[in-house]
Amino acid sequence: WANAQRVMLGESGGNTGAVGDRYPIKGLLAPSYGLFQIRALPGRPDPSLLVDPEYNVAYAAKLWGQQGWGPWSYARKIGL
């Protein structure tokens, strides 16, 4: 939980309405939303869901269960 909190704060500063990555990454424009800055990639939930803090945290837990800390650049920055 401590690592999750560190990643969340590093990604969004604790701002539930944070929107980042508003530029193409590898040719794809898919901004990141909410506490854990989850990218709105094809097949992922709608951004309106991702800015809901409870949903964002639950979806982040699902991603973490599938991919570990890989989806979060801040996690790499702090050595996770």
Side-chain angles (χ1 to χ4, degrees):
W1 292 112
N3 285 335
Q5 183 179 28
R6 289 173 62 202
V7 170
M8 179 203 65
L9 291 173
E11 290 285 340
S12 70
N15 178 358
T16 61
V19 180
D21 301 324
R22 295 179 189 232
Y23 50 85
I25 298 174
K26 295 182 182 176
L28 179 64
L29 180 60
S32 301
Y33 294 91
L35 291 170
F36 278 90
Q37 288 294 278
I38 296 170
R39 288 192 69 205
L41 296 170
R44 287 202 179 159
D46 189 80
S48 64
L49 291 171
L50 294 175
V51 295
D52 174 86
E54 190 172 325
Y55 190 91
N56 189 277
V57 170
Y59 196 79
K62 177 183 173 181
L63 281 178
W64 179 81
Q66 295 170 342
Q67 302 176 43
W69 293 115
W72 293 279
S73 59
Y74 190 78
R76 288 187 297 280
K77 183 177 179 178
I78 61 173
L80 296 177

